[in-house]
Amino acid sequence: MREAVESDRKRILEYLEHDLKNCIYLYIDIINYGISAKNMKVWLEEEDSRLNMVVMKYYDSYQIYSHKLICRVEEILYLFRKYPASMISGRKDIIQQLAIRLKNYKADYGVIFIMDKYRPVKAIDKVIRAVPEEAEEIARLICSDSEIGGHYTVEALTRQLKERICTRTGRSYIIRENGDIAAHSATYAEADKIAVVGGTIIKQEYRNLNYYMLLSNYMLQQLTAEGKKAYTFSITDKMIQYHEKMHTKCSEYGKLVIYK
């Protein structure tokens, strides 16, 4: 395995394009940031000049993709030891192989959905597109939930949210109540034709309202109008059941989060 250089970018993207549903973050981040961005590293494995695997570290997490079912685990583990991170994610079978060796990480498995249906909603004042100055408050809300924010620190997530908003590689929508953010949903990554929806959280005291449906449908309406296909990752039984009623399952994934 070797570290990728900018001249590898085209062939890496071509490799990933054949199986986008299983490498969405990798694909979007390399499109948006290239190979040598400040908070990003990319490695590739080759055999007879053909790509076999791509690994990306973005801030404090790894994304792994290989078209093969069996990966060279030792090479991946070498990277983790040299460049530690709080989270590792990828196709379910790849994470299962790593989970056996990484005993200091907790494994969870979930489902990837294409968000191909939504209920049209009229533009309303309650839903606001967030600005960079609101990133820290959003990060605090996300980090208050161990399920979706447990592997972040508030400081690191604030930097990521600000970067995405400023570079238009992601967006956040919020609803405020009594001056505080009561609900949030975002695209954690976006490119010309594709987006990943995540970071959806409603404060406990507002979960009896329709804020989840309002945020989700409003954002999907915006993305569809822009010609973007939206994907989302679900890990809890409740959210998997919800998306199974509304959207199309396209793959399964796994993530490893370090025990703190």
Side-chain angles (χ1 to χ4, degrees), residues 115 118-119 121-122 124-130 141 171-176 181-187 197-203 206 209-223 242:
M115 303 179 79
Y118 68 91
R119 298 172 186 171
V121 294
K122 294 179 180 178
I124 57 172
D125 294 338
K126 264 195 177 299
V127 180
I128 304 164
R129 187 160 174 172
L141 179 58
R171 67 186 81 180
S172 285
Y173 291 102
I174 58 174
I175 295 174
R176 287 191 177 273
I181 295 176
H184 168 265
S185 191
T187 55
V197 174
T200 303
I201 182 168
I202 316 296
K203 274 191 173 179
Y206 300 108
L209 302 176
N210 68 337
Y211 286 172
Y212 179 84
M213 293 292 292
L214 188 59
L215 280 173
S216 178
N217 285 298
Y218 184 79
M219 182 158 56
L220 283 176
Q221 187 170 289
Q222 302 303 307
L223 292 170
Y242 167 80

mmCIF file of all heavy atoms in Angstrom, residues 115 118-119 121-122 124-130 141 171-176 181-187 197-203 206 209-223 242:
data_model
loop_
_atom_site.group_PDB
_atom_site.id
_atom_site.type_symbol
_atom_site.label_atom_id
_atom_site.label_comp_id
_atom_site.label_asym_id
_atom_site.label_seq_id
_atom_site.Cartn_x
_atom_site.Cartn_y
_atom_site.Cartn_z
ATOM 1 N N MET A 115 -32.531 7.854 -0.497
ATOM 2 C CA MET A 115 -33.713 8.610 -0.049
ATOM 3 C C MET A 115 -34.471 9.094 -1.290
ATOM 4 O O MET A 115 -34.372 10.242 -1.698
ATOM 5 C CB MET A 115 -33.285 9.746 0.864
ATOM 6 C CG MET A 115 -32.492 9.266 2.072
ATOM 7 S SD MET A 115 -31.939 10.600 3.159
ATOM 8 C CE MET A 115 -33.451 10.961 4.073
ATOM 9 N N TYR A 118 -40.119 11.588 -0.897
ATOM 10 C CA TYR A 118 -40.339 12.599 0.133
ATOM 11 C C TYR A 118 -41.722 13.197 -0.051
ATOM 12 O O TYR A 118 -42.351 13.043 -1.107
ATOM 13 C CB TYR A 118 -39.267 13.699 0.072
ATOM 14 C CG TYR A 118 -39.335 14.562 -1.171
ATOM 15 C CD1 TYR A 118 -40.087 15.735 -1.192
ATOM 16 C CD2 TYR A 118 -38.643 14.199 -2.324
ATOM 17 C CE1 TYR A 118 -40.155 16.513 -2.336
ATOM 18 C CE2 TYR A 118 -38.695 14.981 -3.466
ATOM 19 C CZ TYR A 118 -39.459 16.133 -3.465
ATOM 20 O OH TYR A 118 -39.531 16.904 -4.593
ATOM 21 N N ARG A 119 -42.194 13.841 1.000
ATOM 22 C CA ARG A 119 -43.481 14.519 0.948
ATOM 23 C C ARG A 119 -43.228 16.009 0.751
ATOM 24 O O ARG A 119 -42.599 16.645 1.607
ATOM 25 C CB ARG A 119 -44.260 14.285 2.247
ATOM 26 C CG ARG A 119 -44.581 12.822 2.496
ATOM 27 C CD ARG A 119 -45.169 12.604 3.872
ATOM 28 N NE ARG A 119 -45.343 11.189 4.151
ATOM 29 C CZ ARG A 119 -45.680 10.697 5.343
ATOM 30 N NH1 ARG A 119 -45.853 11.524 6.369
ATOM 31 N NH2 ARG A 119 -45.820 9.396 5.524
ATOM 32 N N VAL A 121 -43.137 19.861 0.905
ATOM 33 C CA VAL A 121 -43.539 20.827 1.924
ATOM 34 C C VAL A 121 -43.311 22.226 1.392
ATOM 35 O O VAL A 121 -42.393 22.473 0.608
ATOM 36 C CB VAL A 121 -42.762 20.632 3.243
ATOM 37 C CG1 VAL A 121 -43.115 19.305 3.888
ATOM 38 C CG2 VAL A 121 -41.262 20.742 3.030
ATOM 39 N N LYS A 122 -44.156 23.134 1.807
ATOM 40 C CA LYS A 122 -43.999 24.530 1.399
ATOM 41 C C LYS A 122 -42.895 25.175 2.236
ATOM 42 O O LYS A 122 -42.624 24.778 3.364
ATOM 43 C CB LYS A 122 -45.306 25.280 1.602
ATOM 44 C CG LYS A 122 -46.428 24.797 0.697
ATOM 45 C CD LYS A 122 -47.706 25.573 0.960
ATOM 46 C CE LYS A 122 -48.833 25.081 0.051
ATOM 47 N NZ LYS A 122 -50.108 25.780 0.306
ATOM 48 N N ILE A 124 -41.251 27.330 4.756
ATOM 49 C CA ILE A 124 -41.785 27.917 5.980
ATOM 50 C C ILE A 124 -40.656 28.577 6.756
ATOM 51 O O ILE A 124 -39.482 28.234 6.609
ATOM 52 C CB ILE A 124 -42.489 26.869 6.855
ATOM 53 C CG1 ILE A 124 -41.525 25.727 7.176
ATOM 54 C CG2 ILE A 124 -43.740 26.343 6.212
ATOM 55 C CD1 ILE A 124 -42.077 24.761 8.193
ATOM 56 N N ASP A 125 -41.039 29.510 7.614
ATOM 57 C CA ASP A 125 -40.040 30.270 8.355
ATOM 58 C C ASP A 125 -39.298 29.435 9.391
ATOM 59 O O ASP A 125 -38.188 29.780 9.780
ATOM 60 C CB ASP A 125 -40.711 31.457 9.063
ATOM 61 C CG ASP A 125 -41.247 32.478 8.064
ATOM 62 O OD1 ASP A 125 -40.738 32.485 6.924
ATOM 63 O OD2 ASP A 125 -42.155 33.237 8.422
ATOM 64 N N LYS A 126 -39.914 28.343 9.849
ATOM 65 C CA LYS A 126 -39.292 27.554 10.921
ATOM 66 C C LYS A 126 -37.969 26.923 10.506
ATOM 67 O O LYS A 126 -37.049 26.801 11.307
ATOM 68 C CB LYS A 126 -40.244 26.450 11.386
ATOM 69 C CG LYS A 126 -41.060 26.825 12.623
ATOM 70 C CD LYS A 126 -41.693 25.602 13.236
ATOM 71 C CE LYS A 126 -42.452 25.958 14.509
ATOM 72 N NZ LYS A 126 -41.589 26.529 15.544
ATOM 73 N N VAL A 127 -37.864 26.484 9.269
ATOM 74 C CA VAL A 127 -36.647 25.811 8.807
ATOM 75 C C VAL A 127 -35.664 26.859 8.279
ATOM 76 O O VAL A 127 -35.969 27.606 7.352
ATOM 77 C CB VAL A 127 -36.965 24.781 7.710
ATOM 78 C CG1 VAL A 127 -35.671 24.105 7.248
ATOM 79 C CG2 VAL A 127 -37.954 23.735 8.223
ATOM 80 N N ILE A 128 -34.478 26.878 8.872
ATOM 81 C CA ILE A 128 -33.463 27.876 8.541
ATOM 82 C C ILE A 128 -32.195 27.160 8.076
ATOM 83 O O ILE A 128 -31.783 26.154 8.671
ATOM 84 C CB ILE A 128 -33.117 28.740 9.773
ATOM 85 C CG1 ILE A 128 -34.378 29.400 10.350
ATOM 86 C CG2 ILE A 128 -32.065 29.788 9.429
ATOM 87 C CD1 ILE A 128 -34.180 29.942 11.754
ATOM 88 N N ARG A 129 -31.586 27.669 7.024
ATOM 89 C CA ARG A 129 -30.282 27.128 6.607
ATOM 90 C C ARG A 129 -29.198 27.763 7.470
ATOM 91 O O ARG A 129 -29.081 28.994 7.536
ATOM 92 C CB ARG A 129 -30.034 27.398 5.126
ATOM 93 C CG ARG A 129 -28.773 26.714 4.611
ATOM 94 C CD ARG A 129 -28.801 26.578 3.119
ATOM 95 N NE ARG A 129 -27.541 26.055 2.606
ATOM 96 C CZ ARG A 129 -27.340 25.688 1.356
ATOM 97 N NH1 ARG A 129 -28.320 25.793 0.470
ATOM 98 N NH2 ARG A 129 -26.174 25.212 0.969
ATOM 99 N N ALA A 130 -28.421 26.929 8.149
ATOM 100 C CA ALA A 130 -27.460 27.426 9.127
ATOM 101 C C ALA A 130 -26.292 28.146 8.468
ATOM 102 O O ALA A 130 -25.922 27.866 7.320
ATOM 103 C CB ALA A 130 -26.939 26.264 9.967
ATOM 104 N N LEU A 141 -25.007 20.036 20.082
ATOM 105 C CA LEU A 141 -26.238 19.255 20.066
ATOM 106 C C LEU A 141 -25.968 17.832 19.560
ATOM 107 O O LEU A 141 -26.422 16.855 20.161
ATOM 108 C CB LEU A 141 -27.285 19.941 19.186
ATOM 109 C CG LEU A 141 -28.634 19.231 19.034
ATOM 110 C CD1 LEU A 141 -29.309 19.014 20.389
ATOM 111 C CD2 LEU A 141 -29.547 20.019 18.096
ATOM 112 N N ARG A 171 -24.360 21.164 4.023
ATOM 113 C CA ARG A 171 -25.269 22.203 4.517
ATOM 114 C C ARG A 171 -25.976 21.686 5.760
ATOM 115 O O ARG A 171 -26.127 20.486 5.951
ATOM 116 C CB ARG A 171 -26.292 22.573 3.442
ATOM 117 C CG ARG A 171 -27.269 21.454 3.121
ATOM 118 C CD ARG A 171 -28.180 21.776 1.954
ATOM 119 N NE ARG A 171 -27.527 21.541 0.673
ATOM 120 C CZ ARG A 171 -28.121 21.744 -0.502
ATOM 121 N NH1 ARG A 171 -29.373 22.171 -0.549
ATOM 122 N NH2 ARG A 171 -27.473 21.513 -1.626
ATOM 123 N N SER A 172 -26.407 22.602 6.607
ATOM 124 C CA SER A 172 -27.176 22.256 7.794
ATOM 125 C C SER A 172 -28.470 23.055 7.812
ATOM 126 O O SER A 172 -28.474 24.256 7.513
ATOM 127 C CB SER A 172 -26.381 22.579 9.070
ATOM 128 O OG SER A 172 -25.356 21.635 9.299
ATOM 129 N N TYR A 173 -29.556 22.363 8.157
ATOM 130 C CA TYR A 173 -30.846 23.028 8.365
ATOM 131 C C TYR A 173 -31.220 22.884 9.826
ATOM 132 O O TYR A 173 -31.047 21.812 10.425
ATOM 133 C CB TYR A 173 -31.922 22.404 7.487
ATOM 134 C CG TYR A 173 -31.749 22.682 6.008
ATOM 135 C CD1 TYR A 173 -31.219 21.714 5.156
ATOM 136 C CD2 TYR A 173 -32.115 23.913 5.465
ATOM 137 C CE1 TYR A 173 -31.056 21.959 3.799
ATOM 138 C CE2 TYR A 173 -31.958 24.174 4.111
ATOM 139 C CZ TYR A 173 -31.419 23.194 3.288
ATOM 140 O OH TYR A 173 -31.260 23.443 1.942
ATOM 141 N N ILE A 174 -31.743 23.953 10.404
ATOM 142 C CA ILE A 174 -32.071 23.942 11.825
ATOM 143 C C ILE A 174 -33.467 24.512 12.062
ATOM 144 O O ILE A 174 -34.020 25.237 11.224
ATOM 145 C CB ILE A 174 -31.051 24.752 12.651
ATOM 146 C CG1 ILE A 174 -30.977 26.206 12.150
ATOM 147 C CG2 ILE A 174 -29.682 24.093 12.609
ATOM 148 C CD1 ILE A 174 -30.103 27.114 13.008
ATOM 149 N N ILE A 175 -34.016 24.169 13.216
ATOM 150 C CA ILE A 175 -35.243 24.769 13.735
ATOM 151 C C ILE A 175 -34.925 25.258 15.140
ATOM 152 O O ILE A 175 -34.364 24.508 15.949
ATOM 153 C CB ILE A 175 -36.405 23.760 13.778
ATOM 154 C CG1 ILE A 175 -36.777 23.321 12.361
ATOM 155 C CG2 ILE A 175 -37.621 24.362 14.485
ATOM 156 C CD1 ILE A 175 -37.824 22.219 12.306
ATOM 157 N N ARG A 176 -35.248 26.500 15.418
ATOM 158 C CA ARG A 176 -34.995 27.062 16.749
ATOM 159 C C ARG A 176 -36.293 27.165 17.558
ATOM 160 O O ARG A 176 -37.358 27.434 17.014
ATOM 161 C CB ARG A 176 -34.358 28.450 16.637
ATOM 162 C CG ARG A 176 -32.900 28.417 16.195
ATOM 163 C CD ARG A 176 -32.224 29.763 16.360
ATOM 164 N NE ARG A 176 -30.796 29.697 16.005
ATOM 165 C CZ ARG A 176 -29.841 29.348 16.849
ATOM 166 N NH1 ARG A 176 -30.165 29.067 18.111
ATOM 167 N NH2 ARG A 176 -28.574 29.304 16.458
ATOM 168 N N ILE A 181 -31.245 25.902 19.305
ATOM 169 C CA ILE A 181 -31.487 24.937 18.235
ATOM 170 C C ILE A 181 -32.215 23.729 18.818
ATOM 171 O O ILE A 181 -31.696 23.043 19.699
ATOM 172 C CB ILE A 181 -30.176 24.503 17.556
ATOM 173 C CG1 ILE A 181 -29.529 25.709 16.847
ATOM 174 C CG2 ILE A 181 -30.430 23.384 16.547
ATOM 175 C CD1 ILE A 181 -28.176 25.406 16.233
ATOM 176 N N ALA A 182 -33.409 23.464 18.319
ATOM 177 C CA ALA A 182 -34.222 22.345 18.787
ATOM 178 C C ALA A 182 -34.103 21.140 17.868
ATOM 179 O O ALA A 182 -34.334 20.004 18.300
ATOM 180 C CB ALA A 182 -35.686 22.766 18.890
ATOM 181 N N ALA A 183 -33.742 21.370 16.607
ATOM 182 C CA ALA A 183 -33.671 20.276 15.635
ATOM 183 C C ALA A 183 -32.651 20.619 14.560
ATOM 184 O O ALA A 183 -32.464 21.791 14.206
ATOM 185 C CB ALA A 183 -35.042 20.038 15.011
ATOM 186 N N HIS A 184 -32.008 19.569 14.038
ATOM 187 C CA HIS A 184 -30.965 19.768 13.034
ATOM 188 C C HIS A 184 -30.909 18.568 12.093
ATOM 189 O O HIS A 184 -31.108 17.421 12.503
ATOM 190 C CB HIS A 184 -29.600 19.910 13.714
ATOM 191 C CG HIS A 184 -28.438 19.829 12.766
ATOM 192 N ND1 HIS A 184 -27.740 18.647 12.521
ATOM 193 C CD2 HIS A 184 -27.853 20.770 11.976
ATOM 194 C CE1 HIS A 184 -26.786 18.881 11.642
ATOM 195 N NE2 HIS A 184 -26.820 20.146 11.301
ATOM 196 N N SER A 185 -30.648 18.836 10.825
ATOM 197 C CA SER A 185 -30.314 17.794 9.858
ATOM 198 C C SER A 185 -29.377 18.409 8.835
ATOM 199 O O SER A 185 -29.402 19.626 8.608
ATOM 200 C CB SER A 185 -31.570 17.235 9.177
ATOM 201 O OG SER A 185 -31.246 16.068 8.452
ATOM 202 N N ALA A 186 -28.555 17.570 8.230
ATOM 203 C CA ALA A 186 -27.498 18.112 7.367
ATOM 204 C C ALA A 186 -27.181 17.188 6.213
ATOM 205 O O ALA A 186 -27.568 16.017 6.197
ATOM 206 C CB ALA A 186 -26.232 18.333 8.200
ATOM 207 N N THR A 187 -26.472 17.739 5.245
ATOM 208 C CA THR A 187 -25.727 16.885 4.326
ATOM 209 C C THR A 187 -24.294 16.912 4.839
ATOM 210 O O THR A 187 -23.697 17.970 4.974
ATOM 211 C CB THR A 187 -25.789 17.385 2.873
ATOM 212 O OG1 THR A 187 -25.332 18.744 2.812
ATOM 213 C CG2 THR A 187 -27.208 17.303 2.335
ATOM 214 N N VAL A 197 -26.963 12.408 3.681
ATOM 215 C CA VAL A 197 -27.713 13.076 4.745
ATOM 216 C C VAL A 197 -27.341 12.451 6.087
ATOM 217 O O VAL A 197 -27.282 11.229 6.229
ATOM 218 C CB VAL A 197 -29.232 12.943 4.505
ATOM 219 C CG1 VAL A 197 -30.019 13.511 5.688
ATOM 220 C CG2 VAL A 197 -29.615 13.664 3.215
ATOM 221 N N GLY A 198 -27.069 13.298 7.081
ATOM 222 C CA GLY A 198 -26.706 12.797 8.410
ATOM 223 C C GLY A 198 -26.868 13.880 9.459
ATOM 224 O O GLY A 198 -27.335 14.987 9.178
ATOM 225 N N GLY A 199 -26.451 13.544 10.688
ATOM 226 C CA GLY A 199 -26.492 14.528 11.769
ATOM 227 C C GLY A 199 -27.886 14.955 12.164
ATOM 228 O O GLY A 199 -28.075 16.034 12.721
ATOM 229 N N THR A 200 -28.874 14.099 11.891
ATOM 230 C CA THR A 200 -30.253 14.459 12.217
ATOM 231 C C THR A 200 -30.509 14.201 13.698
ATOM 232 O O THR A 200 -30.323 13.083 14.184
ATOM 233 C CB THR A 200 -31.252 13.656 11.372
ATOM 234 O OG1 THR A 200 -30.966 13.898 9.985
ATOM 235 C CG2 THR A 200 -32.681 14.085 11.668
ATOM 236 N N ILE A 201 -30.920 15.236 14.413
ATOM 237 C CA ILE A 201 -31.169 15.122 15.840
ATOM 238 C C ILE A 201 -32.243 16.113 16.264
ATOM 239 O O ILE A 201 -32.271 17.260 15.791
ATOM 240 C CB ILE A 201 -29.869 15.337 16.646
ATOM 241 C CG1 ILE A 201 -30.128 15.155 18.141
ATOM 242 C CG2 ILE A 201 -29.227 16.678 16.339
ATOM 243 C CD1 ILE A 201 -28.853 15.071 18.971
ATOM 244 N N ILE A 202 -33.133 15.653 17.112
ATOM 245 C CA ILE A 202 -34.181 16.495 17.681
ATOM 246 C C ILE A 202 -34.007 16.473 19.190
ATOM 247 O O ILE A 202 -33.867 15.394 19.786
ATOM 248 C CB ILE A 202 -35.602 15.967 17.339
ATOM 249 C CG1 ILE A 202 -35.708 15.555 15.858
ATOM 250 C CG2 ILE A 202 -36.657 16.999 17.717
ATOM 251 C CD1 ILE A 202 -35.535 16.655 14.862
ATOM 252 N N LYS A 203 -34.007 17.632 19.836
ATOM 253 C CA LYS A 203 -33.925 17.655 21.294
ATOM 254 C C LYS A 203 -35.089 16.875 21.892
ATOM 255 O O LYS A 203 -36.206 16.906 21.379
ATOM 256 C CB LYS A 203 -33.957 19.103 21.799
ATOM 257 C CG LYS A 203 -32.593 19.771 21.844
ATOM 258 C CD LYS A 203 -32.665 21.088 22.592
ATOM 259 C CE LYS A 203 -31.278 21.680 22.780
ATOM 260 N NZ LYS A 203 -31.332 22.984 23.486
ATOM 261 N N TYR A 206 -38.705 18.056 22.186
ATOM 262 C CA TYR A 206 -39.440 18.413 20.967
ATOM 263 C C TYR A 206 -39.711 17.206 20.063
ATOM 264 O O TYR A 206 -40.164 17.364 18.938
ATOM 265 C CB TYR A 206 -38.670 19.481 20.185
ATOM 266 C CG TYR A 206 -38.450 20.750 20.974
ATOM 267 C CD1 TYR A 206 -37.174 21.067 21.458
ATOM 268 C CD2 TYR A 206 -39.504 21.609 21.271
ATOM 269 C CE1 TYR A 206 -36.964 22.226 22.197
ATOM 270 C CE2 TYR A 206 -39.299 22.762 22.018
ATOM 271 C CZ TYR A 206 -38.029 23.067 22.479
ATOM 272 O OH TYR A 206 -37.831 24.198 23.217
ATOM 273 N N LEU A 209 -43.111 16.480 18.313
ATOM 274 C CA LEU A 209 -43.540 17.347 17.214
ATOM 275 C C LEU A 209 -43.092 16.725 15.883
ATOM 276 O O LEU A 209 -42.447 15.700 15.846
ATOM 277 C CB LEU A 209 -42.951 18.744 17.398
ATOM 278 C CG LEU A 209 -43.323 19.440 18.719
ATOM 279 C CD1 LEU A 209 -42.618 20.783 18.838
ATOM 280 C CD2 LEU A 209 -44.835 19.630 18.838
ATOM 281 N N ASN A 210 -43.432 17.362 14.794
ATOM 282 C CA ASN A 210 -43.135 16.775 13.472
ATOM 283 C C ASN A 210 -41.835 17.316 12.878
ATOM 284 O O ASN A 210 -41.668 17.373 11.665
ATOM 285 C CB ASN A 210 -44.300 17.056 12.513
ATOM 286 C CG ASN A 210 -44.419 18.540 12.173
ATOM 287 O OD1 ASN A 210 -43.941 19.393 12.932
ATOM 288 N ND2 ASN A 210 -45.042 18.849 11.053
ATOM 289 N N TYR A 211 -40.894 17.687 13.734
ATOM 290 C CA TYR A 211 -39.687 18.344 13.257
ATOM 291 C C TYR A 211 -38.822 17.434 12.395
ATOM 292 O O TYR A 211 -38.183 17.891 11.443
ATOM 293 C CB TYR A 211 -38.863 18.883 14.432
ATOM 294 C CG TYR A 211 -39.469 20.122 15.066
ATOM 295 C CD1 TYR A 211 -38.951 20.648 16.238
ATOM 296 C CD2 TYR A 211 -40.554 20.768 14.473
ATOM 297 C CE1 TYR A 211 -39.498 21.793 16.819
ATOM 298 C CE2 TYR A 211 -41.108 21.900 15.053
ATOM 299 C CZ TYR A 211 -40.575 22.409 16.218
ATOM 300 O OH TYR A 211 -41.113 23.532 16.787
ATOM 301 N N TYR A 212 -38.759 16.141 12.714
ATOM 302 C CA TYR A 212 -37.953 15.234 11.894
ATOM 303 C C TYR A 212 -38.497 15.190 10.470
ATOM 304 O O TYR A 212 -37.757 15.340 9.495
ATOM 305 C CB TYR A 212 -37.919 13.820 12.480
ATOM 306 C CG TYR A 212 -37.105 12.876 11.622
ATOM 307 C CD1 TYR A 212 -35.723 12.801 11.762
ATOM 308 C CD2 TYR A 212 -37.708 12.111 10.626
ATOM 309 C CE1 TYR A 212 -34.966 11.974 10.949
ATOM 310 C CE2 TYR A 212 -36.954 11.280 9.805
ATOM 311 C CZ TYR A 212 -35.591 11.214 9.971
ATOM 312 O OH TYR A 212 -34.846 10.408 9.153
ATOM 313 N N MET A 213 -39.800 14.979 10.337
ATOM 314 C CA MET A 213 -40.426 14.902 9.015
ATOM 315 C C MET A 213 -40.258 16.225 8.266
ATOM 316 O O MET A 213 -39.990 16.244 7.063
ATOM 317 C CB MET A 213 -41.909 14.565 9.158
ATOM 318 C CG MET A 213 -42.182 13.167 9.686
ATOM 319 S SD MET A 213 -41.706 11.884 8.498
ATOM 320 C CE MET A 213 -42.907 12.167 7.214
ATOM 321 N N LEU A 214 -40.393 17.321 8.988
ATOM 322 C CA LEU A 214 -40.297 18.639 8.365
ATOM 323 C C LEU A 214 -38.892 18.885 7.812
ATOM 324 O O LEU A 214 -38.722 19.248 6.641
ATOM 325 C CB LEU A 214 -40.652 19.709 9.400
ATOM 326 C CG LEU A 214 -40.799 21.139 8.904
ATOM 327 C CD1 LEU A 214 -41.875 21.245 7.840
ATOM 328 C CD2 LEU A 214 -41.123 22.067 10.071
ATOM 329 N N LEU A 215 -37.870 18.643 8.638
ATOM 330 C CA LEU A 215 -36.494 18.851 8.195
ATOM 331 C C LEU A 215 -36.120 17.910 7.063
ATOM 332 O O LEU A 215 -35.532 18.318 6.056
ATOM 333 C CB LEU A 215 -35.530 18.634 9.370
ATOM 334 C CG LEU A 215 -35.365 19.771 10.368
ATOM 335 C CD1 LEU A 215 -34.522 19.301 11.538
ATOM 336 C CD2 LEU A 215 -34.725 20.987 9.724
ATOM 337 N N SER A 216 -36.437 16.627 7.227
ATOM 338 C CA SER A 216 -36.065 15.618 6.240
ATOM 339 C C SER A 216 -36.694 15.897 4.885
ATOM 340 O O SER A 216 -36.018 15.903 3.848
ATOM 341 C CB SER A 216 -36.463 14.234 6.737
ATOM 342 O OG SER A 216 -36.157 13.258 5.777
ATOM 343 N N ASN A 217 -37.992 16.141 4.876
ATOM 344 C CA ASN A 217 -38.689 16.368 3.613
ATOM 345 C C ASN A 217 -38.278 17.687 2.959
ATOM 346 O O ASN A 217 -38.155 17.762 1.731
ATOM 347 C CB ASN A 217 -40.199 16.328 3.834
ATOM 348 C CG ASN A 217 -40.706 14.915 4.033
ATOM 349 O OD1 ASN A 217 -40.594 14.072 3.159
ATOM 350 N ND2 ASN A 217 -41.261 14.627 5.197
ATOM 351 N N TYR A 218 -38.073 18.712 3.772
ATOM 352 C CA TYR A 218 -37.659 20.001 3.217
ATOM 353 C C TYR A 218 -36.288 19.878 2.544
ATOM 354 O O TYR A 218 -36.082 20.349 1.422
ATOM 355 C CB TYR A 218 -37.607 21.063 4.315
ATOM 356 C CG TYR A 218 -37.267 22.439 3.786
ATOM 357 C CD1 TYR A 218 -38.231 23.225 3.167
ATOM 358 C CD2 TYR A 218 -35.976 22.946 3.894
ATOM 359 C CE1 TYR A 218 -37.927 24.488 2.670
ATOM 360 C CE2 TYR A 218 -35.652 24.196 3.400
ATOM 361 C CZ TYR A 218 -36.627 24.963 2.792
ATOM 362 O OH TYR A 218 -36.317 26.207 2.299
ATOM 363 N N MET A 219 -35.350 19.198 3.225
ATOM 364 C CA MET A 219 -34.011 19.062 2.651
ATOM 365 C C MET A 219 -34.032 18.196 1.397
ATOM 366 O O MET A 219 -33.384 18.526 0.394
ATOM 367 C CB MET A 219 -33.042 18.481 3.679
ATOM 368 C CG MET A 219 -31.626 18.368 3.157
ATOM 369 S SD MET A 219 -30.372 18.308 4.449
ATOM 370 C CE MET A 219 -30.926 16.923 5.382
ATOM 371 N N LEU A 220 -34.771 17.091 1.424
ATOM 372 C CA LEU A 220 -34.859 16.233 0.239
ATOM 373 C C LEU A 220 -35.473 16.977 -0.937
ATOM 374 O O LEU A 220 -35.072 16.789 -2.088
ATOM 375 C CB LEU A 220 -35.680 14.981 0.549
ATOM 376 C CG LEU A 220 -34.961 13.905 1.362
ATOM 377 C CD1 LEU A 220 -35.911 12.774 1.686
ATOM 378 C CD2 LEU A 220 -33.749 13.374 0.615
ATOM 379 N N GLN A 221 -36.433 17.830 -0.654
ATOM 380 C CA GLN A 221 -37.049 18.631 -1.701
ATOM 381 C C GLN A 221 -36.014 19.554 -2.344
ATOM 382 O O GLN A 221 -35.969 19.697 -3.578
ATOM 383 C CB GLN A 221 -38.183 19.453 -1.080
ATOM 384 C CG GLN A 221 -39.036 20.212 -2.065
ATOM 385 C CD GLN A 221 -40.268 20.783 -1.386
ATOM 386 O OE1 GLN A 221 -41.182 20.067 -1.013
ATOM 387 N NE2 GLN A 221 -40.287 22.084 -1.207
ATOM 388 N N GLN A 222 -35.164 20.164 -1.512
ATOM 389 C CA GLN A 222 -34.116 21.044 -2.027
ATOM 390 C C GLN A 222 -33.103 20.264 -2.869
ATOM 391 O O GLN A 222 -32.719 20.687 -3.967
ATOM 392 C CB GLN A 222 -33.389 21.740 -0.864
ATOM 393 C CG GLN A 222 -34.276 22.555 0.055
ATOM 394 C CD GLN A 222 -35.046 23.631 -0.670
ATOM 395 O OE1 GLN A 222 -34.472 24.445 -1.383
ATOM 396 N NE2 GLN A 222 -36.355 23.642 -0.520
ATOM 397 N N LEU A 223 -32.660 19.123 -2.359
ATOM 398 C CA LEU A 223 -31.654 18.323 -3.063
ATOM 399 C C LEU A 223 -32.188 17.802 -4.393
ATOM 400 O O LEU A 223 -31.482 17.813 -5.413
ATOM 401 C CB LEU A 223 -31.205 17.151 -2.181
ATOM 402 C CG LEU A 223 -30.412 17.526 -0.922
ATOM 403 C CD1 LEU A 223 -30.239 16.303 -0.026
ATOM 404 C CD2 LEU A 223 -29.055 18.118 -1.291
ATOM 405 N N TYR A 242 -38.004 2.937 9.920
ATOM 406 C CA TYR A 242 -38.591 4.141 9.313
ATOM 407 C C TYR A 242 -38.187 4.241 7.840
ATOM 408 O O TYR A 242 -39.041 4.424 6.956
ATOM 409 C CB TYR A 242 -38.127 5.391 10.062
ATOM 410 C CG TYR A 242 -38.426 6.676 9.311
ATOM 411 C CD1 TYR A 242 -39.697 7.234 9.332
ATOM 412 C CD2 TYR A 242 -37.434 7.294 8.556
ATOM 413 C CE1 TYR A 242 -39.978 8.395 8.622
ATOM 414 C CE2 TYR A 242 -37.712 8.456 7.845
ATOM 415 C CZ TYR A 242 -38.977 9.003 7.883
ATOM 416 O OH TYR A 242 -39.254 10.150 7.173
#
